[in-house]
Amino acid sequence: MNSIREKISLAVAATAVAMMALTGCGSGTASTGGGAMLPDEQQNLTFVPAFAVPGLDPTKAPLEMGSNQVLSNVLQALVKLDENSQPQPQLAESWEWTTPTTLTLKLREGVTFSDGQALSSADVKATLERYISQKQTLAAVLAVIESVSADDPTTVTITTTQPTGTLLGVLSMLFIGQAAHAQDDAWWAKPTGTGPFVINDFIANDKVSLTRNEGYWGEKAKLRSLTFKLITDVNAKVTALSNGQAQVLNDVPFDQVATVEAMSNVAFTQTEGLTYNFLWFNNAREPFTDVRVRTAMWEAVDLPTIVESLYGDTASVMDSFCPTSAFGCVAATDMPSYDPEHAKKLLAEAGYAEGFTADVIFSTANAGYDSLISALVSAWNEIGVTITPRALDGATWLSEFSALNWDMDVQPNQTATGDADYTLNRLYKCEAKRMGYCNPELDQLMAQAQESNDAQARLKLYQQVVDTMVKDAPAIPLFQTKPNVAASNTVQGLTIPPTEFIDWSTVYLTE
Amino acid sequence: MTTAPTTSAAPAMTKARRSRWGVHTRTLVPCAIIALIAVGAIFVPVLYGYDPLRVDLADRLKPPGSVLPNGSIAVFGTDQIGSDLFAQMMAGARVSLIIGAATLAIAGVIGVLIGMLAGYYGGWLDTVLMRVADIQLAFPAILLAVLLAAVLGQGVLNVIIVLSISNWVVFARIARSQVLALKDREYVEAARTLGLGNFHIIFRTLLPGSLPPILVVGTVELGHVVLAEAALSFLGVGVPMGTASLGSTIANGVQYLSTAWWISTLPGVLLLLLVLATGVLGDAVRDRLDPRLRSL
């Protein structure tokens, strides 16, 4: 008995020493606090994301936040955005605009899918064509792509219908799969990628478990397994972190931040993000057809106070129509500020001295929105406008919203490409018909900005764009949120990019 | 130690007296609680000038007993949008009581009518009506209510309709069983022999005889209805935003349970008191009106 126990403890000690030696050699960077790296069989991490994962086919729902958070660890795009939203090499090693409408990309050599197959330009071509043929939420953005050709195994050429300076940002959202399965929906429902993790198990809107891609072409992931487990109840989420059921939480609401920060073994971090919240007026409906009414509604709300009270430092007031961390979202001059007296005057000029009644829709899927909407409604009430809030469940909200069956709408939005073009040109041009707003002059400015490849010229154009929009007030940019993460102190190497697509391959657990 | 009873009647008398005293307390205390809540529900929102859509962000999440900047004391604290919790709870109780009373009135009238007709006429009418009732009883009441509420949408009137639909069965069944038990009694026979019509027999002879158990059921059901309304509002299919409800106040406070316990807890306690009071009162009313029903 005794001897066996001794042998076992010796073996354990030896392994521990070996592991420490290995980690000491392997990672050059010093970990911030925490003990030694846990042995490989204990490198299992559970992450509670902020968004549900309804499906894993990126070509069917390219803008699904939850899915992209998972897929960005399984599949890879040609380029990825860095923390300044600038494209950096990923599957493409380098790229060049050979003509204003021709982009040639050189693929990285030695990249293999997790099943061992090598990546070739045919895979890129087939995947991009699948994205285009699915006609999903990115259709408008992909419309500029005229053709994709695979010139040789490592060269891909993309031809566009017009000069498109924003193409690389779009490419950063397209995950590359295998050419042989381009038509195979079942394959795409659980795709095989070139990323550091492999999908092991998936239950829609509940959990996704990933395991390490042992044959990864780059530096292998340190985690053995990674589980995305959705917990919608805020209290249950915080409890999961405190009892070790989960090691990392995304999106801790402001009112819970104090609780999380009070936990002794938890680190709370937040960064600038690309997610923001806006209010849209139905510009085609009375009385919001009148710009004075729209401006009055804007001036009636004391956004700095509302945002400060409800969201504290987890959100900030906006000075543009898209989040500042995105390229081209320059600060607008003369943003309307809180001035209820002037708002009343404007209403009177527009012929609504006695106020009016209207509604505002929002989805109950957005946690904490009832407080925000109450605050807005209360502020409008002060200038004599009666607004009826309509809290709708997700599906009802979507159908009402798409049918333009609302006077006002409040919702979150993301500038996914990290470029103003993606948000402004997609949502506010006449053709978009999203809220009955149309200003041909603005359309022209935005088209010019899209075509240009010159960053300085684009910034100048976007300055004109946002200044025009402030005058027209088709919408109110409410606030931009800072993505946050609460992680147990045993988690090392975790950073949150603005897109909130965390790269889990560098993360590991210590004692 | 056992002492032989001096007279065999004494313990029974004591017991009877005690139970009568019990019935008194059990009637008075719940009545007082319900009356207090009703008075509060009528006057407090008016006195406080409560407006469900008014937001005072500077005063949010204040604990019970806090002194607000305007000098008033938030007895029960404030909620996540800075609204006074006491006023909000009382406005919620007002909605609960209105919905409870209206639902009882509608479900009671419809249910009793259907039950009496089914019991009195029997035959195919009875079979059809009671099978419908059986089918409905096969569904859990709250599930049916959630389903209907999801279809009809939010609104006080809709909640009343939904709850009336899911509650008429109880009244129908109790009325029917009473009518079945009474319709062969001598006084009913006498009325029939005198040549009185069906209408007269149903409403003038059978209805008064059936009332006690219906009243008992009605009192108990009030609690159930109040609870059901809170459940619907908690789930977001009850009253709309902008109308106070104990259920939606509790739901709003759930995510603050660890930081601001009072938002969910206090309305929960009020709901508990209200439901408990109606339950105990129903029990006492039953003992008083019809002791034979004790096993009900």
Side-chain angles (χ1 to χ4, degrees):
Chain A
M1 275 295 275
N2 242 347
S3 66
I4 293 173
R5 195 182 292 162
E6 271 167 25
K7 271 179 196 162
I8 292 175
S9 57
L10 251 175
V12 169
T15 330
V17 169
M19 285 309 298
M20 279 181 208
L22 272 176
T23 52
C25 296
S27 63
T29 52
S31 64
T32 52
M37 188 170 170
L38 283 177
D40 191 55
E41 64 269 21
Q42 288 175 36
Q43 290 290 343
N44 305 311
L45 187 143
T46 300
F47 169 60
V48 182
F51 308 92
V53 184
L56 289 176
D57 184 346
T59 65
K60 298 266 188 216
L63 297 181
E64 198 63 52
M65 275 296 293
S67 307
N68 284 339
Q69 267 189 335
V70 175
L71 290 170
S72 57
N73 287 284
V74 176
L75 298 157
Q76 291 173 316
L78 291 169
V79 297
K80 65 174 182 185
L81 299 181
D82 63 10
E83 60 271 27
N84 301 317
S85 302
Q86 291 308 304
Q88 298 299 331
Q90 197 170 29
L91 292 181
E93 206 169 46
S94 61
W95 53 87
E96 192 190 355
W97 285 95
T98 46
T99 75
T101 58
T102 318
L103 178 68
T104 306
L105 299 112
K106 191 84 188 146
L107 296 188
R108 196 185 289 273
E109 293 198 34
V111 174
T112 53
F113 285 93
S114 57
D115 61 1
Q117 196 192 309
L119 171 82
S120 83
S121 56
D123 295 320
V124 176
K125 175 177 156 67
T127 306
L128 296 191
E129 282 166 357
R130 178 178 168 90
Y131 266 100
I132 295 167
S133 69
Q134 293 292 328
K135 295 194 173 26
Q136 291 298 328
T137 34
L138 281 177
V141 185
L142 294 174
V144 292
I145 298 181
E146 192 175 68
S147 69
V148 182
S149 66
D151 310 330
D152 66 60
T154 57
T155 314
V156 177
T157 307
I158 300 176
T159 319
T160 58
T161 52
Q162 64 197 55
T164 313
T166 55
L167 189 64
L168 284 164
V170 175
L171 291 181
S172 77
M173 289 192 291
L174 308 180
F175 295 122
I176 306 301
Q178 292 174 336
H181 303 285
Q183 308 301 326
D184 185 354
D185 282 358
W187 186 89
W188 277 96
K190 198 180 166 185
T192 304
T194 52
F197 287 94
V198 181
I199 301 165
N200 179 35
D201 190 26
F202 166 58
I203 303 167
N205 296 326
D206 181 34
K207 69 172 200 179
V208 190
S209 71
L210 306 181
T211 47
R212 176 167 51 211
N213 175 4
E214 298 294 352
Y216 183 50
W217 57 269
E219 194 183 327
K220 285 194 188 61
K222 299 186 176 75
L223 289 176
R224 203 169 76 107
S225 80
L226 167 64
T227 308
F228 289 72
K229 171 78 185 134
L230 185 72
I231 302 178
T232 43
D233 182 78
V234 175
N235 292 300
K237 212 163 148 171
V238 174
T239 309
L241 181 64
S242 70
N243 67 15
Q245 198 190 334
Q247 285 76 40
V248 184
L249 306 184
N250 196 183
D251 192 28
V252 179
F254 170 57
D255 288 320
Q256 302 293 333
V257 169
T259 315
V260 169
E261 280 183 324
M263 293 185 198
S264 58
N265 53 351
V266 167
F268 176 79
T269 42
Q270 57 183 16
T271 57
E272 292 301 327
L274 293 168
T275 306
Y276 70 108
N277 293 259
F278 60 62
L279 177 142
W280 275 1
F281 297 110
N282 191 338
N283 287 247
R285 261 201 205 183
E286 295 280 351
F288 299 113
T289 44
D290 191 325
V291 65
R292 288 170 297 191
V293 174
R294 301 198 294 264
T295 312
M297 296 294 275
W298 192 338
E299 288 178 348
V301 290
D302 184 3
L303 282 174
T305 309
I306 293 176
V307 172
E308 165 65 30
S309 318
L310 292 180
Y311 302 100
D313 58 1
T314 63
S316 54
V317 181
M318 298 171 72
D319 53 11
S320 185
F321 281 83
C322 46
T324 31
S325 41
F327 178 86
C329 293
V330 285
T333 31
D334 298 330
M335 285 274 276
S337 56
Y338 179 55
D339 189 352
E341 289 313 312
H342 188 247
K344 275 187 208 165
K345 213 185 289 171
L346 278 177
L347 277 186
E349 278 173 29
Y352 292 100
E354 302 297 308
F356 58 88
T357 57
D359 67 14
V360 57
I361 63 166
F362 67 99
S363 162
T364 49
N366 300 313
Y369 255 41
D370 42 359
S371 299
L372 171 69
I373 302 291
S374 302
L376 296 175
V377 168
S378 171
W380 289 320
N381 205 22
E382 300 288 317
I383 60 161
V385 176
T386 312
I387 300 295
T388 319
R390 281 164 65 206
L392 308 170
D393 66 272
T396 318
W397 172 80
L398 191 62
S399 73
E400 290 285 280
F401 173 71
S402 313
L404 277 170
N405 193 10
W406 41 273
D407 296 323
M408 288 187 284
D409 162 65
V410 180
Q411 67 174 95
N413 191 262
Q414 212 202 17
T415 304
T417 60
D419 191 295
D421 171 71
Y422 177 79
T423 290
L424 303 181
N425 198 25
R426 188 173 59 101
L427 301 176
Y428 296 103
K429 68 176 166 194
C430 296
E431 221 179 289
K433 292 200 181 74
R434 298 295 287 268
M435 66 196 108
Y437 171 64
C438 180
N439 183 343
E441 216 175 293
L442 185 79
D443 276 21
Q444 218 172 0
L445 286 171
M446 291 196 296
Q448 279 175 21
Q450 188 189 42
E451 285 168 16
S452 170
N453 270 323
D454 176 4
Q456 283 312 311
R458 295 190 65 212
L459 283 179
K460 267 195 200 118
L461 285 164
Y462 280 121
Q463 185 68 56
Q464 282 174 274
V465 168
V466 292
D467 289 351
T468 314
M469 286 180 69
V470 161
K471 281 195 199 84
D472 288 349
I476 307 177
L478 295 171
F479 57 89
Q480 59 190 58
T481 51
K482 291 181 188 157
N484 66 47
V485 160
S488 152
N489 279 343
T490 59
V491 178
Q492 307 296 332
L494 180 71
T495 49
I496 338 165
T499 51
E500 299 180 54
F501 303 160
I502 298 168
D503 176 6
W504 290 99
S505 67
T506 57
V507 176
Y508 61 96
L509 295 166
T510 55
E511 271 163 19
Chain B
M1 264 204 208
T2 52
T3 49
T6 44
T7 57
S8 57
M13 294 258 295
T14 325
K15 203 177 156 206
R17 206 176 301 127
R18 195 174 297 147
S19 92
R20 213 176 307 125
W21 181 84
V23 171
H24 273 299
T25 340
R26 284 190 292 127
T27 317
L28 285 178
V29 173
C31 272
I33 292 177
I34 295 173
L36 209 61
I37 294 176
V39 169
I42 294 168
F43 296 107
V44 170
V46 182
L47 287 177
Y48 273 72
Y50 175 71
D51 173 3
L53 289 176
R54 211 183 70 86
V55 170
D56 210 335
L57 292 173
D59 294 344
R60 64 195 296 265
L61 304 176
K62 291 269 189 293
S66 302
V67 181
L68 302 181
N70 63 10
S72 64
I73 295 173
V75 202
F76 284 177
T78 61
D79 74 352
Q80 75 287 350
I81 53 168
S83 138
D84 186 278
L85 196 62
F86 180 55
Q88 192 179 341
M89 278 164 59
M90 285 303 152
R94 177 192 278 190
V95 172
S96 292
L97 290 174
I98 290 173
I99 289 179
T103 305
L104 282 194
I106 296 173
V109 168
I110 295 175
V112 168
L113 195 68
I114 290 179
M116 298 198 80
L117 291 178
Y120 186 75
Y121 290 105
W124 65 266
L125 185 72
D126 184 36
T127 315
V128 171
L129 289 175
M130 286 304 116
R131 283 310 77 76
V132 171
D134 284 344
I135 291 168
Q136 189 178 323
L137 276 180
F139 288 98
I142 191 72
L143 182 71
L144 185 72
V146 169
L147 192 77
L148 283 170
V151 172
L152 286 177
Q154 298 179 323
V156 173
L157 193 65
N158 285 350
V159 172
I160 294 175
I161 295 173
V162 163
L163 294 179
S164 301
I165 294 176
S166 47
N167 276 291
W168 69 273
V169 182
V170 188
F171 290 96
R173 291 186 78 109
I174 210 89
R176 175 177 174 271
S177 65
Q178 274 305 106
V179 168
L180 286 182
L182 291 178
K183 76 174 177 185
D184 294 327
R185 290 277 191 89
E186 286 84 353
Y187 75 96
V188 184
E189 285 293 335
R192 202 173 285 131
T193 321
L194 285 172
L196 297 173
N198 287 335
F199 182 87
H200 192 277
I201 292 176
I202 292 176
F203 291 103
R204 301 300 292 275
T205 54
L206 291 175
L207 184 59
S210 315
L211 272 184
I214 292 171
L215 279 181
V216 172
V217 170
T219 323
V220 178
E221 279 298 293
L222 177 66
H224 290 171
V225 171
V226 166
L227 202 58
E229 181 274 322
L232 290 181
S233 298
F234 182 86
L235 295 172
V237 288
V239 301
M241 222 180 124
T243 307
S245 160
L246 292 176
S248 32
T249 309
I250 294 174
N252 286 338
V254 165
Q255 64 158 316
Y256 301 97
L257 268 181
S258 54
T259 46
W261 57 270
W262 54 92
I263 305 175
S264 280
T265 313
L266 297 178
V269 170
L270 181 69
L271 192 63
L272 174 83
L273 276 178
L274 190 57
V275 176
L276 199 62
T278 58
V280 173
L281 180 65
D283 221 39
V285 170
R286 183 199 62 202
D287 287 355
R288 181 166 282 212
L289 290 179
D290 197 349
R292 281 170 305 157
L293 278 172
R294 255 175 215 214
S295 59
L296 198 85

